[in-house]
Amino acid sequence: MDGAGRLARSLRSLGPQADLKAAAIGAAVLLRERLGARVPARSVIDRDPPNRLVRLVERHLPNRLGVTLTALMLLGSAGLGIVKGGHVDDFMVALSDTRNALANSAGFRITTVAINGRKQLSQDEVLAIGGVNGRSSLLFLDAATVRDKLKANPWISDATILKLYPGQLQIDIVERTAFALWQQDGRLSVISEDGAVLEPYVSRRFVTLPLVVGKGADVKARDFLALLDRYPQVRSATKAAILVGERRWNLRLKDGLDIRLPENDVGNALAVLSKLDKDDRLFSRDIVAVDMRLPDRLTVQLSDDAAKAREELFKDKKPKKKAGDA
């Protein structure tokens, strides 16, 4: 520029070097494209170097084991949440329904149910008691569990469960028989011969059963009513048998007459009572109670009207005093 030629020398001296550098860069780019090489991306997040324990775990712990442990931790957390939330029963029901659904789809659905021996219970009641429903599958039905549930019902004394694959269920039950009505503390229940309470008295179909009253009458009724059956004259007139002090029985007749039986030798007292009614129509007399507790005597309590009439009768029979008698 100033005529000294400095710029011209500089351009001439850098020209070959610049060409060589450009050629090298172009060759490198071409080679990278041919080989498909990629420039590693720099991590956006700067991580602190792990401590010694973490480096040891990352080096020696298998990759899949970490995934397994994580899954186990999640399952454990879910299980803890189910327990803490009180959803265990719901979870077990859902699990059982899922299992039964799979079995039903495989051909083990219960399609036929035969129930033998039922009289008081309906088929739907038996199935509900045994825990058998429309979702149950024959494959996963536990016969022992169904039997235990059925026997826990007071009406059923025994049960047999038979699974006939692929889809038939047979249930044989032995029902208890309604034997008597038992009243205690104002509650009236239907009982069997062994004293088991079958159900509260709510159905009129049990109205003809004999009535026993008092604590302990439920377990002692069978023997006493069997003894009373030997004397139909007394049994037919009896409305209720009342156990007193868990030791002895009173009879309440249909007309309201109370018979107080002795603690011992009850059969002989019933025989005497039956003979008195046959011979002297005792039950038709105007009396309210007959006390047979003493072995050597029988005491009769008259009604108020009968007692007054008796007093009047004796007054009339008293001899009248004559004039001049002291």
Side-chain angles (χ1 to χ4, degrees):
M1 292 177 60
D2 55 0
R6 288 192 299 270
L7 182 58
R9 285 196 302 270
S10 175
L11 290 176
R12 282 196 301 268
S13 62
L14 293 176
Q17 295 178 0
D19 294 340
L20 182 60
K21 183 177 181 179
I25 293 174
V29 171
L30 182 61
L31 180 62
R32 185 166 58 244
E33 291 178 354
R34 291 289 183 88
L35 296 178
R38 296 180 180 178
V39 178
R42 184 176 179 181
S43 177
V44 177
I45 302 175
D46 293 333
R47 299 180 57 188
D48 295 333
N51 58 36
R52 185 175 182 181
L53 179 61
V54 174
R55 289 199 305 270
L56 182 64
V57 171
E58 290 179 347
R59 179 180 302 175
H60 297 284
L61 188 68
N63 294 332
R64 292 185 179 180
L65 181 58
V67 175
T68 303
L69 292 177
T70 301
L72 291 176
M73 288 179 63
L74 293 175
L75 290 176
S77 299
L80 182 61
I82 291 173
V83 174
K84 289 287 187 180
H87 304 299
V88 177
D89 293 339
D90 295 337
F91 175 75
M92 295 304 297
V93 169
L95 185 62
S96 177
D97 289 345
T98 302
R99 181 183 63 176
N100 286 327
L102 293 174
N104 288 336
S105 63
F108 294 99
R109 183 182 300 276
I110 299 176
T111 57
T112 305
V113 178
I115 301 178
N116 303 316
R118 63 178 184 86
K119 296 177 182 178
Q120 300 293 339
L121 299 173
S122 66
Q123 176 168 314
D124 291 340
E125 287 174 330
V126 173
L127 293 177
I129 293 169
V132 181
N133 53 47
R135 299 184 302 273
S136 302
S137 68
L138 195 67
L139 181 63
F140 293 113
L141 187 70
D142 190 341
T145 300
V146 174
R147 182 174 183 268
D148 291 341
K149 289 181 178 180
L150 290 173
K151 291 186 65 178
N153 184 273
W155 275 107
I156 301 175
S157 62
D158 199 5
T160 302
I161 313 301
L162 186 62
K163 297 165 61 174
L164 303 174
Y165 288 100
Q168 184 175 353
L169 178 65
Q170 180 176 324
I171 302 176
D172 299 319
I173 63 175
V174 178
E175 280 191 357
R176 290 186 173 92
T177 302
F179 176 69
L181 299 177
W182 174 45
Q183 180 179 329
Q184 184 182 12
D185 299 331
R187 296 190 302 270
L188 197 60
S189 305
V190 182
I191 62 173
S192 63
E193 284 190 351
D194 57 1
V197 176
L198 302 178
E199 64 178 54
Y201 175 65
V202 293
S203 176
R204 299 291 296 177
R205 71 180 186 271
F206 301 119
V207 70
T208 58
L209 294 176
L211 174 62
V212 295
V213 182
K215 182 180 180 181
D218 51 337
V219 295
K220 294 186 176 182
R222 176 174 56 185
D223 294 338
F224 178 74
L225 293 179
L227 179 61
L228 191 61
D229 281 338
R230 300 178 187 177
Y231 307 95
Q233 185 83 9
V234 182
R235 176 65 184 266
S236 62
T238 298
K239 178 181 180 180
I242 305 168
L243 186 63
V244 180
E246 300 185 57
R247 296 183 297 105
R248 65 173 192 84
W249 292 90
N250 284 350
L251 298 179
R252 175 68 56 84
L253 303 190
K254 294 176 181 178
D255 60 359
L257 176 62
D258 283 332
I259 310 293
R260 299 164 188 169
L261 298 173
E263 184 175 351
N264 301 312
D265 202 9
V266 182
N268 182 58
L270 291 173
V272 171
L273 196 62
S274 179
K275 187 175 186 303
L276 286 173
D277 185 58
K278 287 180 180 179
D279 298 342
D280 301 325
R281 299 182 62 83
L282 178 67
F283 299 160
S284 301
R285 299 295 183 94
D286 196 2
I287 57 179
V288 295
V290 176
D291 194 341
M292 307 181 72
R293 290 177 291 178
L294 297 178
D296 58 343
R297 71 190 67 177
L298 182 148
T299 304
V300 176
Q301 180 182 349
L302 298 176
S303 67
D304 292 340
D305 293 338
K308 290 179 180 179
R310 187 172 184 273
E311 289 178 2
E312 294 295 334
L313 179 62
F314 276 102
K315 285 180 182 180
D316 293 339
K317 287 184 177 181
K318 286 183 179 180
K320 295 182 180 179
K321 294 182 180 181
K322 295 180 180 180
D325 292 343

